Amino acid sequence: MDFSFSEEQLAIRDTIRELVQDRVAPRAAEIDEKAEYPRDIEELFAQNGLLAIPFPERYGGISGSSVTICMGIEEIAKACVTSSLILAVQALGSYPILIAGTEEQKERLCPPLAEGRVCAYALSEPGSGSDAAAMQTTAKRYGDEYVLTGSKVFITHGNVAETLVVFAVTDPDADHRGISAFVMEREQSPWATVKLEHKLGIRGSPTAMLAFEETRVPVRNRLGDEGFGFKIALGVLDRSRPGIGAQALGLAEGALDYAVGYAKERRQFGKPIAAFQGLQFMLADMATQIEAARSLVYLAATRVDEQAPDLTKVAAMAKLFASDMAMRVTTDAVQVLGGYGYIRDYPVERMMRDAKITQIYEGTNQIQRLVISRALLK
Ligand SMILES: Cc1cc2nc3c(=O)[nH]c(=O)nc-3n(C[C@H](O)[C@H](O)[C@H](O)COP(=O)(O)OP(=O)(O)OC[C@H]3O[C@@H](n4cnc5c(N)ncnc54)[C@H](O)[C@@H]3O)c2cc1C
């Protein structure tokens, strides 16, 4: 399938590509080594309008298209997956507002996010990951406020965000129909960071455990009706999963690019290692898998933009296929570099470590298979 991107989308992509080459790529190894959140990159993205991509113009943004979001994430992930999460999670945290917010909520909450106020998405809890409906965080209504109590784990940017979308139980007897969604703004509903995780990859991206101790949230910040939170959470993941596919795609492209360059330079047995058919075939397989993933990722993003009826299935396929592909391709890139692939002076071991998370977050790949098979068998 040939995806025709608009001139505007190509212009946005080219601007991001340039920015990434000049400013992000030179920082990638250091961000990983120091495991520090790259505030400078966040500011760079905000100043250059990247954080406005998830929003339509009427809410202060520049696009709102899933295809454009994916193009941006892909470009950034070629050089630095941690940095690509700054755009990916801005989209993830904004989707609940965009798909379930009232006009008043969108007009009030979106423009600051488009300008660079960081947001995050808090669904997972210590006892509820894949089984998100088993969450324990509660929200009790008192007049025109809710009081939230509980904790969330693994929240990307949870400590640096100023806006947090949180899912909590408003009716404990109603199973997944008893969950509601809320927007917390740090100034009026502060939350605590209990712990930051030490991780295998995406080491500069903070992953936070958060606590709410009778935290007050105004009723006007509830998204949708009471009891619609779980539906919103799943609707958001349908829309954000192509973005994880795009992240995996960019990551694999970065690894292949490096491996090809290295194979042409490195000499053994009197010739470049690229002259050996064993490596040529490996590179050919890597490139082929990347192209297949690209088609699926942009097909899924297009389906999201069209609000197609099969978007749940195709988004899960894109995330599943692209992330498994990225794991294989980055592992092979390490192999192409031999011993040098395994050491920190070269970027491919970081890419291999970063690839692993794409098989886990926004629903593990077992859960994607569950989603796809459910759609087939319903
Ligand atoms: C770095 C990082 C960032 C994250 N960012 C966020 C975030 O911003 N916001 C957020 O809300 N969450 C976030 N998460 C949480 C992430 O989405 C969960 O870790 C993921 O959904 C899996 O949940 P779990 O870790 O509890 O694993 P579990 O659900 O305990 O799963 C353990 C294993 O069992 C398998 N399994 C579970 N159920 C089934 C089943 N029915 N059939 C087959 N296999 C099954 C899983 O596939 C997995 O292999 C993040 C996680 C990490 C590590």
Side-chain angles (χ1 to χ4, degrees), residues 140-190:
K140 289 191 180 141
R141 185 165 177 171
Y142 297 95
D144 55 6
E145 282 183 332
Y146 284 89
V147 173
L148 267 72
T149 305
S151 60
K152 295 285 173 183
V153 278
F154 296 149
I155 307 309
T156 303
H157 301 163
N159 60 326
V160 294
E162 299 295 318
T163 296
L164 187 69
V165 173
V166 182
F167 298 86
V169 176
T170 40
D171 180 356
D173 299 323
D175 200 21
H176 67 278
R177 289 189 188 85
I179 293 169
S180 303
F182 302 91
V183 180
M184 295 175 92
E185 293 168 284
R186 202 185 270 279
E187 304 85 344
Q188 57 186 7
S189 310

Short mmCIF file of all heavy atoms in Angstrom, two decimals, residues 140-190:
data_model
loop_
_atom_site.label_atom_id
_atom_site.label_comp_id
_atom_site.label_asym_id
_atom_site.label_seq_id
_atom_site.Cartn_x
_atom_site.Cartn_y
_atom_site.Cartn_z
N LYS A 140 -14.06 9.14 45.32
CA LYS A 140 -15.38 9.30 45.98
C LYS A 140 -15.84 10.73 45.81
O LYS A 140 -15.07 11.66 46.03
CB LYS A 140 -15.25 8.96 47.46
CG LYS A 140 -15.05 7.48 47.69
CD LYS A 140 -15.20 7.09 49.14
CE LYS A 140 -14.98 5.60 49.29
NZ LYS A 140 -14.24 5.22 50.46
N ARG A 141 -17.10 10.87 45.47
CA ARG A 141 -17.62 12.22 45.21
C ARG A 141 -18.16 12.85 46.50
O ARG A 141 -18.91 12.22 47.24
CB ARG A 141 -18.72 12.16 44.15
CG ARG A 141 -19.20 13.54 43.78
CD ARG A 141 -20.00 13.55 42.50
NE ARG A 141 -20.49 14.90 42.26
CZ ARG A 141 -21.08 15.31 41.16
NH1 ARG A 141 -21.23 14.46 40.17
NH2 ARG A 141 -21.49 16.55 41.02
N TYR A 142 -17.72 14.09 46.73
CA TYR A 142 -18.28 14.91 47.81
C TYR A 142 -18.63 16.25 47.18
O TYR A 142 -17.74 17.05 46.90
CB TYR A 142 -17.26 15.12 48.94
CG TYR A 142 -16.85 13.83 49.63
CD1 TYR A 142 -15.69 13.16 49.23
CD2 TYR A 142 -17.62 13.29 50.64
CE1 TYR A 142 -15.32 11.97 49.84
CE2 TYR A 142 -17.25 12.09 51.26
CZ TYR A 142 -16.10 11.45 50.84
OH TYR A 142 -15.74 10.27 51.44
N GLY A 143 -19.91 16.48 46.93
CA GLY A 143 -20.34 17.75 46.33
C GLY A 143 -19.75 17.92 44.95
O GLY A 143 -19.88 17.05 44.09
N ASP A 144 -19.02 19.03 44.74
CA ASP A 144 -18.47 19.25 43.40
C ASP A 144 -16.99 18.85 43.30
O ASP A 144 -16.25 19.37 42.47
CB ASP A 144 -18.70 20.71 42.95
CG ASP A 144 -18.14 21.71 43.94
OD1 ASP A 144 -17.49 21.26 44.91
OD2 ASP A 144 -18.35 22.92 43.76
N GLU A 145 -16.61 17.92 44.19
CA GLU A 145 -15.24 17.39 44.12
C GLU A 145 -15.24 15.87 44.24
O GLU A 145 -16.14 15.28 44.83
CB GLU A 145 -14.41 17.92 45.31
CG GLU A 145 -13.93 19.33 45.16
CD GLU A 145 -13.06 19.74 46.36
OE1 GLU A 145 -13.25 19.20 47.46
OE2 GLU A 145 -12.21 20.59 46.16
N TYR A 146 -14.17 15.26 43.69
CA TYR A 146 -13.89 13.85 43.96
C TYR A 146 -12.64 13.79 44.83
O TYR A 146 -11.75 14.65 44.69
CB TYR A 146 -13.61 13.08 42.67
CG TYR A 146 -14.84 12.77 41.85
CD1 TYR A 146 -15.29 13.67 40.89
CD2 TYR A 146 -15.53 11.58 42.03
CE1 TYR A 146 -16.42 13.38 40.13
CE2 TYR A 146 -16.65 11.29 41.27
CZ TYR A 146 -17.09 12.19 40.32
OH TYR A 146 -18.20 11.90 39.57
N VAL A 147 -12.56 12.77 45.68
CA VAL A 147 -11.36 12.57 46.49
C VAL A 147 -10.74 11.24 46.05
O VAL A 147 -11.38 10.19 46.14
CB VAL A 147 -11.72 12.54 48.00
CG1 VAL A 147 -10.49 12.16 48.83
CG2 VAL A 147 -12.24 13.91 48.43
N LEU A 148 -9.51 11.35 45.52
CA LEU A 148 -8.84 10.16 44.98
C LEU A 148 -7.83 9.60 45.97
O LEU A 148 -7.03 10.35 46.55
CB LEU A 148 -8.12 10.50 43.66
CG LEU A 148 -8.94 10.26 42.38
CD1 LEU A 148 -10.03 11.31 42.25
CD2 LEU A 148 -8.05 10.26 41.16
N THR A 149 -7.87 8.27 46.13
CA THR A 149 -6.93 7.60 47.02
C THR A 149 -6.43 6.33 46.33
O THR A 149 -7.24 5.56 45.81
CB THR A 149 -7.63 7.22 48.35
OG1 THR A 149 -8.20 8.40 48.90
CG2 THR A 149 -6.64 6.62 49.34
N GLY A 150 -5.10 6.15 46.33
CA GLY A 150 -4.54 4.93 45.74
C GLY A 150 -3.17 5.20 45.14
O GLY A 150 -2.55 6.23 45.42
N SER A 151 -2.70 4.23 44.33
CA SER A 151 -1.39 4.45 43.71
C SER A 151 -1.37 3.89 42.29
O SER A 151 -2.17 3.02 41.94
CB SER A 151 -0.28 3.81 44.56
OG SER A 151 -0.51 2.43 44.67
N LYS A 152 -0.46 4.42 41.50
CA LYS A 152 -0.27 3.99 40.11
C LYS A 152 1.20 3.65 39.93
O LYS A 152 2.08 4.29 40.54
CB LYS A 152 -0.65 5.14 39.15
CG LYS A 152 -2.14 5.51 39.20
CD LYS A 152 -3.01 4.49 38.49
CE LYS A 152 -4.49 4.74 38.66
NZ LYS A 152 -5.34 3.72 38.04
N VAL A 153 1.48 2.65 39.10
CA VAL A 153 2.90 2.31 38.84
C VAL A 153 3.25 2.49 37.38
O VAL A 153 2.36 2.43 36.52
CB VAL A 153 3.28 0.84 39.20
CG1 VAL A 153 3.56 0.68 40.67
CG2 VAL A 153 2.28 -0.16 38.67
N PHE A 154 4.55 2.61 37.15
CA PHE A 154 5.10 2.63 35.78
C PHE A 154 4.57 3.80 34.95
O PHE A 154 4.33 3.64 33.75
CB PHE A 154 4.77 1.32 35.04
CG PHE A 154 5.36 0.07 35.61
CD1 PHE A 154 4.69 -1.15 35.49
CD2 PHE A 154 6.59 0.08 36.24
CE1 PHE A 154 5.23 -2.33 35.97
CE2 PHE A 154 7.14 -1.10 36.74
CZ PHE A 154 6.46 -2.30 36.60
N ILE A 155 4.35 4.95 35.56
CA ILE A 155 3.75 6.04 34.80
C ILE A 155 4.85 6.88 34.15
O ILE A 155 5.60 7.61 34.82
CB ILE A 155 2.83 6.91 35.70
CG1 ILE A 155 1.82 6.02 36.42
CG2 ILE A 155 2.14 7.99 34.85
CD1 ILE A 155 1.03 5.05 35.53
N THR A 156 4.94 6.77 32.83
CA THR A 156 5.94 7.51 32.07
C THR A 156 5.68 9.01 32.24
O THR A 156 4.55 9.46 32.04
CB THR A 156 5.86 7.12 30.57
OG1 THR A 156 6.04 5.71 30.48
CG2 THR A 156 6.93 7.84 29.75
N HIS A 157 6.73 9.73 32.64
CA HIS A 157 6.67 11.17 32.88
C HIS A 157 5.78 11.56 34.06
O HIS A 157 5.46 12.74 34.23
CB HIS A 157 6.19 11.94 31.62
CG HIS A 157 7.06 11.72 30.42
ND1 HIS A 157 6.66 12.01 29.15
CD2 HIS A 157 8.33 11.24 30.31
CE1 HIS A 157 7.62 11.71 28.29
NE2 HIS A 157 8.65 11.23 28.99
N GLY A 158 5.38 10.57 34.89
CA GLY A 158 4.48 10.86 36.01
C GLY A 158 5.04 11.90 36.97
O GLY A 158 4.30 12.66 37.58
N ASN A 159 6.36 11.94 37.09
CA ASN A 159 6.99 12.89 38.02
C ASN A 159 7.21 14.27 37.39
O ASN A 159 7.26 15.27 38.11
CB ASN A 159 8.35 12.34 38.50
CG ASN A 159 9.31 12.10 37.35
OD1 ASN A 159 8.89 11.72 36.26
ND2 ASN A 159 10.58 12.33 37.57
N VAL A 160 7.32 14.35 36.07
CA VAL A 160 7.60 15.65 35.44
C VAL A 160 6.34 16.29 34.86
O VAL A 160 6.34 17.48 34.52
CB VAL A 160 8.68 15.54 34.32
CG1 VAL A 160 10.03 15.16 34.90
CG2 VAL A 160 8.27 14.56 33.22
N ALA A 161 5.27 15.51 34.77
CA ALA A 161 4.03 16.03 34.17
C ALA A 161 3.37 17.06 35.08
O ALA A 161 3.51 17.00 36.31
CB ALA A 161 3.06 14.89 33.89
N GLU A 162 2.65 17.97 34.44
CA GLU A 162 1.85 18.95 35.19
C GLU A 162 0.37 18.59 35.09
O GLU A 162 -0.45 19.11 35.85
CB GLU A 162 2.07 20.36 34.60
CG GLU A 162 3.51 20.86 34.67
CD GLU A 162 3.98 21.05 36.10
OE1 GLU A 162 3.21 21.57 36.91
OE2 GLU A 162 5.13 20.66 36.40
N THR A 163 0.05 17.77 34.11
CA THR A 163 -1.33 17.30 33.91
C THR A 163 -1.28 15.78 33.85
O THR A 163 -0.42 15.21 33.17
CB THR A 163 -1.90 17.87 32.58
OG1 THR A 163 -1.98 19.29 32.69
CG2 THR A 163 -3.29 17.33 32.30
N LEU A 164 -2.22 15.16 34.57
CA LEU A 164 -2.21 13.69 34.64
C LEU A 164 -3.64 13.18 34.43
O LEU A 164 -4.55 13.64 35.11
CB LEU A 164 -1.72 13.29 36.04
CG LEU A 164 -1.47 11.82 36.33
CD1 LEU A 164 -0.26 11.30 35.54
CD2 LEU A 164 -1.22 11.61 37.82
N VAL A 165 -3.79 12.27 33.48
CA VAL A 165 -5.10 11.64 33.33
C VAL A 165 -5.07 10.36 34.15
O VAL A 165 -4.19 9.51 33.98
CB VAL A 165 -5.41 11.34 31.85
CG1 VAL A 165 -6.70 10.53 31.72
CG2 VAL A 165 -5.54 12.65 31.07
N VAL A 166 -6.02 10.26 35.08
CA VAL A 166 -6.02 9.14 36.04
C VAL A 166 -7.34 8.39 35.94
O VAL A 166 -8.40 8.99 35.80
CB VAL A 166 -5.88 9.67 37.49
CG1 VAL A 166 -5.83 8.51 38.48
CG2 VAL A 166 -4.63 10.50 37.63
N PHE A 167 -7.24 7.07 36.05
CA PHE A 167 -8.44 6.23 36.04
C PHE A 167 -8.64 5.69 37.46
O PHE A 167 -7.67 5.24 38.09
CB PHE A 167 -8.27 5.10 35.02
CG PHE A 167 -8.12 5.63 33.62
CD1 PHE A 167 -6.86 6.01 33.12
CD2 PHE A 167 -9.23 5.83 32.82
CE1 PHE A 167 -6.72 6.55 31.85
CE2 PHE A 167 -9.10 6.37 31.54
CZ PHE A 167 -7.85 6.73 31.06
N ALA A 168 -9.89 5.77 37.95
CA ALA A 168 -10.15 5.35 39.32
C ALA A 168 -11.56 4.79 39.43
O ALA A 168 -12.44 5.08 38.60
CB ALA A 168 -9.99 6.56 40.26
N VAL A 169 -11.76 3.98 40.49
CA VAL A 169 -13.04 3.31 40.69
C VAL A 169 -14.02 4.25 41.39
O VAL A 169 -13.74 4.71 42.50
CB VAL A 169 -12.83 2.03 41.53
CG1 VAL A 169 -14.18 1.36 41.84
CG2 VAL A 169 -11.89 1.07 40.83
N THR A 170 -15.15 4.51 40.74
CA THR A 170 -16.19 5.33 41.38
C THR A 170 -17.33 4.45 41.90
O THR A 170 -18.10 4.87 42.75
CB THR A 170 -16.75 6.38 40.39
OG1 THR A 170 -16.90 5.79 39.10
CG2 THR A 170 -15.82 7.58 40.27
N ASP A 171 -17.44 3.21 41.36
CA ASP A 171 -18.46 2.29 41.85
C ASP A 171 -17.85 0.89 41.96
O ASP A 171 -17.74 0.17 40.95
CB ASP A 171 -19.66 2.29 40.89
CG ASP A 171 -20.76 1.35 41.36
OD1 ASP A 171 -20.55 0.64 42.38
OD2 ASP A 171 -21.82 1.31 40.72
N PRO A 172 -17.44 0.49 43.18
CA PRO A 172 -16.74 -0.78 43.33
C PRO A 172 -17.60 -2.00 43.00
O PRO A 172 -17.06 -3.10 42.79
CB PRO A 172 -16.34 -0.80 44.82
CG PRO A 172 -16.83 0.47 45.42
CD PRO A 172 -17.61 1.23 44.42
N ASP A 173 -18.91 -1.83 42.92
CA ASP A 173 -19.78 -2.99 42.63
C ASP A 173 -20.04 -3.17 41.14
O ASP A 173 -20.75 -4.10 40.75
CB ASP A 173 -21.13 -2.82 43.35
CG ASP A 173 -20.95 -2.75 44.86
OD1 ASP A 173 -20.06 -3.47 45.37
OD2 ASP A 173 -21.65 -1.95 45.50
N ALA A 174 -19.49 -2.27 40.32
CA ALA A 174 -19.88 -2.30 38.90
C ALA A 174 -18.76 -2.82 37.98
O ALA A 174 -18.83 -2.65 36.76
CB ALA A 174 -20.33 -0.92 38.45
N ASP A 175 -17.74 -3.47 38.57
CA ASP A 175 -16.66 -4.06 37.76
C ASP A 175 -16.05 -2.99 36.83
O ASP A 175 -15.89 -1.85 37.27
CB ASP A 175 -17.22 -5.26 36.98
CG ASP A 175 -16.14 -6.22 36.51
OD1 ASP A 175 -15.05 -6.19 37.10
OD2 ASP A 175 -16.40 -6.97 35.56
N HIS A 176 -15.78 -3.32 35.55
CA HIS A 176 -15.12 -2.31 34.70
C HIS A 176 -16.07 -1.13 34.37
O HIS A 176 -15.62 -0.08 33.95
CB HIS A 176 -14.55 -2.93 33.42
CG HIS A 176 -15.58 -3.44 32.48
ND1 HIS A 176 -16.19 -4.66 32.61
CD2 HIS A 176 -16.14 -2.86 31.39
CE1 HIS A 176 -17.06 -4.83 31.63
NE2 HIS A 176 -17.05 -3.76 30.88
N ARG A 177 -17.36 -1.31 34.62
CA ARG A 177 -18.31 -0.21 34.39
C ARG A 177 -18.35 0.75 35.58
O ARG A 177 -19.10 1.71 35.59
CB ARG A 177 -19.71 -0.74 34.10
CG ARG A 177 -19.78 -1.40 32.74
CD ARG A 177 -21.21 -1.73 32.33
NE ARG A 177 -21.19 -2.52 31.10
CZ ARG A 177 -21.04 -3.84 31.04
NH1 ARG A 177 -20.92 -4.54 32.16
NH2 ARG A 177 -21.02 -4.47 29.89
N GLY A 178 -17.50 0.48 36.59
CA GLY A 178 -17.44 1.36 37.76
C GLY A 178 -16.20 2.23 37.76
O GLY A 178 -15.84 2.81 38.79
N ILE A 179 -15.52 2.31 36.59
CA ILE A 179 -14.27 3.09 36.51
C ILE A 179 -14.54 4.42 35.80
O ILE A 179 -15.28 4.45 34.81
CB ILE A 179 -13.19 2.27 35.75
CG1 ILE A 179 -12.79 1.04 36.60
CG2 ILE A 179 -11.97 3.12 35.41
CD1 ILE A 179 -11.94 0.03 35.86
N SER A 180 -13.94 5.49 36.33
CA SER A 180 -14.12 6.81 35.70
C SER A 180 -12.76 7.44 35.43
O SER A 180 -11.75 7.05 36.04
CB SER A 180 -14.96 7.72 36.61
OG SER A 180 -16.20 7.10 36.88
N ALA A 181 -12.74 8.42 34.53
CA ALA A 181 -11.48 9.08 34.13
C ALA A 181 -11.47 10.53 34.61
O ALA A 181 -12.49 11.22 34.54
CB ALA A 181 -11.35 9.04 32.61
N PHE A 182 -10.31 10.96 35.09
CA PHE A 182 -10.17 12.32 35.63
C PHE A 182 -8.91 12.99 35.10
O PHE A 182 -7.90 12.31 34.87
CB PHE A 182 -10.06 12.27 37.17
CG PHE A 182 -11.23 11.61 37.82
CD1 PHE A 182 -11.23 10.24 38.07
CD2 PHE A 182 -12.37 12.34 38.13
CE1 PHE A 182 -12.33 9.62 38.64
CE2 PHE A 182 -13.47 11.73 38.71
CZ PHE A 182 -13.45 10.37 38.97
N VAL A 183 -8.97 14.30 34.97
CA VAL A 183 -7.77 15.07 34.64
C VAL A 183 -7.32 15.77 35.92
O VAL A 183 -8.07 16.55 36.51
CB VAL A 183 -8.05 16.13 33.56
CG1 VAL A 183 -6.78 16.93 33.24
CG2 VAL A 183 -8.59 15.47 32.29
N MET A 184 -6.09 15.46 36.34
CA MET A 184 -5.54 16.12 37.53
C MET A 184 -4.56 17.20 37.05
O MET A 184 -3.72 16.93 36.20
CB MET A 184 -4.80 15.12 38.42
CG MET A 184 -5.71 14.09 39.02
SD MET A 184 -4.80 12.84 39.94
CE MET A 184 -4.84 13.55 41.54
N GLU A 185 -4.72 18.39 37.61
CA GLU A 185 -3.76 19.46 37.32
C GLU A 185 -2.96 19.69 38.59
O GLU A 185 -3.54 19.84 39.67
CB GLU A 185 -4.51 20.71 36.89
CG GLU A 185 -5.22 20.50 35.55
CD GLU A 185 -6.19 21.60 35.23
OE1 GLU A 185 -7.28 21.62 35.83
OE2 GLU A 185 -5.85 22.45 34.40
N ARG A 186 -1.65 19.66 38.44
CA ARG A 186 -0.78 19.60 39.61
C ARG A 186 -1.02 20.75 40.59
O ARG A 186 -0.98 20.55 41.81
CB ARG A 186 0.69 19.58 39.17
CG ARG A 186 1.62 19.01 40.21
CD ARG A 186 3.06 19.12 39.77
NE ARG A 186 3.55 17.98 39.03
CZ ARG A 186 3.98 16.84 39.58
NH1 ARG A 186 3.93 16.68 40.87
NH2 ARG A 186 4.45 15.85 38.83
N GLU A 187 -1.34 21.95 40.06
CA GLU A 187 -1.51 23.10 40.96
C GLU A 187 -2.64 22.89 41.95
O GLU A 187 -2.53 23.26 43.10
CB GLU A 187 -1.83 24.38 40.15
CG GLU A 187 -0.83 24.76 39.08
CD GLU A 187 -1.06 24.04 37.75
OE1 GLU A 187 -1.79 23.04 37.71
OE2 GLU A 187 -0.47 24.49 36.74
N GLN A 188 -3.74 22.27 41.48
CA GLN A 188 -4.89 22.13 42.37
C GLN A 188 -5.05 20.71 42.91
O GLN A 188 -5.73 20.51 43.92
CB GLN A 188 -6.18 22.57 41.67
CG GLN A 188 -6.47 21.82 40.39
CD GLN A 188 -7.67 22.37 39.65
OE1 GLN A 188 -8.22 23.39 40.03
NE2 GLN A 188 -8.08 21.70 38.59
N SER A 189 -4.43 19.72 42.25
CA SER A 189 -4.56 18.32 42.69
C SER A 189 -3.17 17.68 42.71
O SER A 189 -2.85 16.84 41.89
CB SER A 189 -5.45 17.54 41.71
OG SER A 189 -6.66 18.20 41.46
N PRO A 190 -2.31 18.09 43.64
CA PRO A 190 -0.93 17.58 43.60
C PRO A 190 -0.85 16.09 43.93
O PRO A 190 -1.61 15.62 44.76
CB PRO A 190 -0.22 18.41 44.68
CG PRO A 190 -1.30 18.91 45.57
CD PRO A 190 -2.56 18.99 44.77
#
